[in-house]
Amino acid sequence: MPSPLKVYNTLTAQLESFDPINPPFVGLYLCGPTVYGYPHLGHTRGPLVFDVIHRYLAHLGYKVRFVRNITDVGHLVNDADEGEDKIAKRAKVEQLEPMEIAQHYTDAYHFCIDKLNVKRPSIEPRASGHIIEQIEMIKQIIDNGFAYEANGSVYFDVLKYAQTNDYGKLSGRILEDLLAGAGEARRELEGQEEKKNPNDFALWKKASEEHIMQWPSPWGQGFPGWHIECSAMSAKYLGKTFDIHGGGMDLLFPHHESEIAQSTACNHTNPAKYWMHHNMVTINGQKMAKSLNNGVMITELFDGSHPLLEQAYSPMTLKFFILQAHYRSTLDFSNDALKASEKGFQRLMNAVNLVNTLKPGNSSDFDVTALKENTYNALNDDFNTPIAIANLFEAAGWINKINDGKANISAADLEVLKSFINAFVFDVLGLVDEQKEMGTNLVDPLMQLLITMRNEAKAEKDYKKSDDIRNKLLQAGFELKDGKEGTTYTINLKP
RNA sequence: GGUCCUGUGGCCGAGUGGCUAGGCUCAGCUCUGCAAAAGCUGCUACAGCGGUUCGAAUCCGCUCGGGACCUCCA
């Protein structure tokens, strides 16, 4: 029997067994993108990791409602007190409607994520579509005595909250340290004097006249603070307490810490049972971030146009690359690493295709059930995709041996192997055989014709002609392979 | 400055107190008209210095290196 599912909970800093609040239902919330720029490599990790989590939970039989938001308001350019919305700033530069920009980058995000075969969430709420919910929540927090209005803005009273709650329990921060550590590192913030305490954060910000995205509120024209959107939207669609809240480690503080504080101040309950955080994609050992300007855009990866790239890499190569690392480890980007993933992925897909053509024997030379169990155990151990993939490679090895007649598998075991490997590769990991997808329909009959012609030439020992066909095809992106069962081909994706 | 994470073989990247992770690369072999693919074989690492232990890459301490967060950030 496979081991039970365990997840690492940032809140307790421990591996915990996964017990949904209302089985078989699972509420899963992931902090989505801020749509004010094109997505880079790092932006794919969250969606990819939580896609596997989403898929695996569904695979295990849970009814998952997966909510991933689009942030199209509220993220401020510098800080809460300069009051310029990121989206609005781009609008001024490009002379477009703010929502036009948000839509544009949302589309770009969807384009990239879809290429990676990430399942769309059950609900994808926009922050701008939930202003009312956010205002209601802020009102409740004020009523509960944990927020105050100052000059048209509303701030969360961290000190008041900390009197009866643990502010910092998620990120492991100690309020006294935060207060003391403010010192030199903290910038001189304009309007900081509105706050009772430097650690107080904005729930609602007063908008200046130039500020394009603004809404009426009980406190005047303004816009919501950064953290409140996730609290409002997760509560609306998943309830005041739900199962899993995820995001990047860089959101741990202050974003998620503040979410917990807000939700607790409003609803008197911890919003999520499990908090899961994935690590960063690094480049030259440093975090890839918009603010550091070291991002490789996803479309640049797909078409190989970024100067650091030696070639184009397909979406599945990127996906496989990311899944070959555990989600809580940093993952360093490099051409060599990407190439290794490209090769390895192809090898795995070859084996997966082969498994459907295998002929069973009388007995099995290896323990299929154990292999399957090990693969489940890997994912049950905090979604350890690299170990799961290692097991799939072991299965691939056996598949190849069986295909070569150097190993046997019983008919019953073959069925187990087929169903399990297909389930894991396609359903759980969500991989796609890109070459196969391209190769069907129109291309295949033509290829079969050329293969036949070449084999005729070979039979006549006209190797010039046969090699010519092979070389020309290779140049065109079709690689021929002579096997015992005949000639097959692969399509190489090149820009 | 504070809090925390991390340092694995040519590259990427798992991992447990004692038993080969895996992928890629490289070399040799089998197969093949040649090549590719596939298979087989080889390459045994855990920053440094101490300590605990019968035994540590895995636990503890120190040193050195890298990184994250403390400010928008996936």
Side-chain angles (χ1 to χ4, degrees):
Chain A
M1 281 295 288
S3 58
L5 176 60
K6 290 188 174 171
V7 303
Y8 182 84
N9 190 355
T10 312
L11 196 56
T12 57
Q14 280 179 338
L15 214 51
E16 297 178 3
S17 67
F18 180 68
D19 301 308
I21 298 163
N22 298 115
F25 300 99
V26 173
L28 176 60
Y29 188 94
L30 175 65
C31 286
T34 305
V35 284
Y36 66 105
Y38 293 108
H40 64 239
L41 269 186
H43 292 293
T44 65
R45 198 164 189 188
L48 239 26
V49 163
F50 281 88
D51 185 47
V52 171
I53 292 171
H54 178 195
R55 286 166 176 273
Y56 188 58
L57 290 174
H59 177 77
L60 292 180
Y62 290 113
K63 309 278 183 224
V64 186
R65 180 181 291 163
F66 179 33
V67 179
R68 189 185 65 205
N69 68 293
I70 295 283
T71 297
D72 55 358
V73 297
H75 280 210
L76 310 177
V77 174
N78 290 315
D79 54 71
D81 299 282
E82 283 191 18
E84 191 167 31
D85 196 297
K86 271 181 178 169
I87 304 285
K89 183 175 186 188
R90 293 289 284 154
K92 284 172 193 165
V93 172
E94 297 182 10
Q95 296 299 310
L96 294 168
E97 271 298 317
M99 283 312 275
E100 197 174 355
I101 293 188
Q103 185 68 53
H104 177 75
Y105 290 119
T106 301
D107 290 347
Y109 181 74
H110 283 153
F111 174 81
C112 293
I113 295 304
D114 287 348
K115 286 264 188 196
L116 294 167
N117 196 31
V118 168
K119 273 191 174 177
R120 288 285 183 96
S122 322
I123 301 174
E124 191 169 45
R126 286 167 168 257
S128 63
H130 297 76
I131 300 297
I132 292 169
E133 287 83 351
Q134 296 177 73
I135 289 173
E136 287 305 309
M137 193 164 179
I138 294 166
K139 280 159 69 177
Q140 186 64 53
I141 296 171
I142 293 174
D143 287 350
N144 291 352
F146 291 106
Y148 55 92
E149 185 194 347
N151 192 29
S153 294
V154 179
Y155 295 100
F156 188 85
D157 194 335
V158 172
L159 286 185
K160 174 78 184 301
Y161 175 80
Q163 284 172 9
T164 48
N165 297 275
D166 184 1
Y167 184 78
K169 65 179 171 184
L170 178 70
S171 55
R173 255 152 249 274
I174 297 158
L175 190 55
E176 286 70 40
D177 291 346
L178 288 172
L179 296 173
E184 69 209 72
R186 188 167 283 273
R187 284 192 216 140
E188 282 297 315
L189 301 181
E190 192 183 319
Q192 190 75 338
E193 65 278 1
E194 284 178 6
K195 297 181 184 176
K196 289 183 183 173
N197 181 284
N199 292 290
D200 291 353
F201 53 88
L203 296 173
W204 186 263
K205 281 299 295 177
K206 179 182 183 177
S208 59
E209 274 198 25
E210 311 85 71
H211 198 97
I212 302 174
M213 292 188 106
Q214 53 175 272
W215 293 265
S217 80
W219 317 285
Q221 287 287 315
F223 54 94
W226 172 32
H227 316 300
I228 196 74
E229 55 171 290
C230 289
S231 295
M233 293 188 290
S234 61
K236 172 161 184 172
Y237 298 115
L238 297 175
K240 289 172 181 173
T241 303
F242 54 96
D243 298 293
I244 302 175
H245 190 128
M249 278 186 183
D250 50 352
L251 297 181
L252 239 164
F253 189 91
H255 185 53
H256 288 163
E257 193 70 64
S258 300
E259 266 190 59
I260 289 178
Q262 287 167 347
S263 295
T264 306
C266 180
N267 303 321
H268 309 290
T269 169
N270 215 310
K273 185 172 181 184
Y274 304 96
W275 287 80
M276 298 181 67
H277 296 272
H278 66 262
N279 218 131
M280 304 290 110
V281 174
T282 59
I283 183 163
N284 295 323
Q286 200 178 32
K287 172 186 168 185
M288 194 178 281
K290 190 173 185 61
S291 55
L292 295 173
N293 222 328
N294 61 356
V296 175
M297 298 301 140
I298 297 167
T299 50
E300 290 177 324
L301 187 90
F302 291 166
D303 64 19
S305 62
H306 189 96
L308 284 173
L309 298 172
E310 292 168 9
Q311 60 170 85
Y313 298 95
S314 73
M316 284 305 118
T317 299
L318 171 60
K319 182 167 191 167
F320 201 61
F321 168 68
I322 287 185
L323 295 182
Q324 274 185 294
H326 184 78
Y327 76 89
R328 283 193 286 118
S329 300
T330 56
L331 174 60
D332 201 44
F333 156 89
S334 72
N335 275 287
D336 285 348
L338 246 5
K339 279 186 204 164
S341 291
E342 184 178 52
K343 268 290 200 63
F345 175 62
Q346 203 44 248
R347 191 168 158 226
L348 184 62
M349 291 320 292
N350 288 158
V352 172
N353 287 327
L354 218 47
V355 77
N356 297 314
T357 67
L358 294 182
K359 306 274 189 295
N362 293 324
S363 62
S364 299
D365 294 334
F366 65 106
D367 192 339
V368 178
T369 308
L371 196 57
K372 174 180 171 178
E373 209 162 90
N374 287 341
T375 314
Y376 273 94
N377 285 161
L379 285 190
N380 287 340
D381 184 15
D382 197 26
F383 306 99
N384 197 322
T385 51
I387 295 287
I389 289 171
N391 279 291
L392 293 175
F393 272 114
E394 193 174 322
W398 284 108
I399 290 167
N400 290 329
K401 275 190 205 174
I402 294 164
N403 185 241
D404 281 3
K406 290 176 181 169
N408 294 298
I409 186 167
S410 69
D413 280 348
L414 181 57
E415 287 312 307
V416 172
L417 180 64
K418 268 190 205 173
S419 68
F420 129 75
I421 201 165
N422 276 295
F424 259 86
V425 170
F426 299 115
D427 298 343
V428 176
L429 297 181
L431 297 167
V432 173
D433 190 343
E434 294 165 321
Q435 301 202 338
K436 203 174 180 180
E437 290 218 325
M438 288 188 68
T440 49
N441 304 327
L442 286 175
V443 176
D444 195 61
L446 294 172
M447 286 302 295
Q448 294 309 329
L449 177 64
L450 288 163
I451 287 169
T452 304
M453 288 173 69
R454 175 166 167 272
N455 284 338
E456 282 168 9
K458 276 171 67 180
E460 293 165 15
K461 297 212 190 297
D462 185 355
Y463 294 124
K464 271 181 194 161
K465 188 174 177 185
S466 67
D467 285 355
D468 199 38
I469 292 172
R470 187 175 64 194
N471 292 337
K472 292 256 168 69
L473 282 174
L474 186 62
Q475 282 173 18
F478 300 90
E479 190 171 20
L480 296 186
K481 292 172 231 172
D482 295 333
K484 282 185 179 161
E485 308 290 318
T487 304
T488 58
Y489 65 94
T490 56
I491 303 170
N492 296 316
L493 296 164
K494 295 289 178 211

